[in-house]
Amino acid sequence: MALIDDVRAYVPTCEQERADRALILERLERDPLVACREALAHLTASAWCVDPAGERTLLCYHNIYDSWSWVGGHADGELDLAAVAARELAEETGVAGARLVVAGPGAIASLETLTVDGHERRGRYVASHLHLNVTYAFVADPGAPLRAKPDENQAVRWVALGDVCKLSSEPWMCERVYAKLIARTRELAAAGLLGA
């Protein structure tokens, strides 16, 4: 199915997802540049990577946000956002070959609209904008080698689910995104979809 069909078929888990799903659909329907960074609100994909037992997730210390966070990146014209998330996971952490978990229609695990404050990136100012984010769940071997991507993050490590919000310095992300993904991870583990 096309991305727009997957987003339409996705069943929101909370009010935040209902509101953000509506915005993502509106932009997919109306903005032909929605997959490009030039759009004020543009598509991004995130990878929520967990171990096979669903007890730990892979976080990086993000340079721009100055916080431990998930991994992800811009669509840059690509509408196969699961592939974008897998690519970003490999690029930002060194983890290659992680298994995509079919968590919902099109394997979507969650939806969110993320505000991005203006910032400097590679010597250029980037104006404030919105990320229309689609999150995918992946399973990877916690024993696989990790590496940071210095132009984006300072460190990469596996973190117990219960410690994610202790490490993150972003209260909104903890309350609205990470708490939701931790609950989702536990559901997927209980359903036997993570492989432990």
Side-chain angles (χ1 to χ4, degrees):
M1 284 199 301
L3 176 63
I4 193 166
D5 296 326
D6 293 338
V7 174
R8 280 186 187 124
Y10 181 80
V11 178
T13 62
C14 58
E15 188 58 33
Q16 170 266 310
E17 285 198 329
R18 278 186 282 285
D20 290 348
R21 178 178 167 270
L23 177 59
I24 293 168
L25 284 171
E26 188 270 339
R27 293 290 75 208
L28 282 167
E29 291 164 354
R30 294 179 181 227
D31 187 355
L33 297 177
V34 70
C36 302
R37 293 184 202 217
E38 293 75 26
L40 178 61
H42 52 261
L43 292 171
T44 57
S46 291
W48 178 254
C49 187
V50 298
D51 67 343
E55 296 173 352
R56 294 181 287 172
T57 189
L58 189 58
L59 297 181
C60 66
Y61 195 89
H62 199 284
N63 294 341
I64 291 173
Y65 301 117
D66 196 23
S67 178
W68 286 97
S69 67
W70 60 2
V71 299
H74 292 88
D76 287 332
E78 175 65 59
L79 289 176
D80 182 350
L81 294 186
V84 171
R87 181 188 70 228
E88 293 294 328
L89 178 61
E91 287 178 0
E92 293 182 27
T93 68
V95 171
R99 179 176 57 83
L100 177 65
V101 178
V102 180
I108 295 172
S110 74
L111 298 172
E112 42 279 319
T113 299
L114 308 170
T115 59
V116 181
D117 291 338
H119 58 276
E120 297 284 337
R121 181 162 172 88
R122 296 183 180 126
R124 283 186 48 231
Y125 183 75
V126 177
S128 298
H129 56 276
L130 293 176
H131 285 173
L132 306 173
N133 195 68
V134 180
T135 301
Y136 297 87
F138 292 86
V139 174
D141 175 3
L146 301 176
R147 63 161 171 68
K149 187 172 188 271
D151 65 326
E152 294 193 27
N153 63 58
Q154 299 172 27
V156 178
R157 74 184 232 205
W158 287 96
V159 174
L161 294 182
D163 292 337
V164 171
C165 289
K166 293 174 188 170
L167 291 171
S168 174
S169 61
E170 300 175 279
W172 188 90
M173 289 293 293
C174 287
E175 179 184 326
R176 299 290 182 168
V177 178
Y178 299 145
K180 173 179 66 172
L181 289 170
I182 290 166
R184 188 78 167 130
T185 300
R186 291 182 174 135
E187 291 169 9
L188 294 168
L193 295 174
L194 301 181

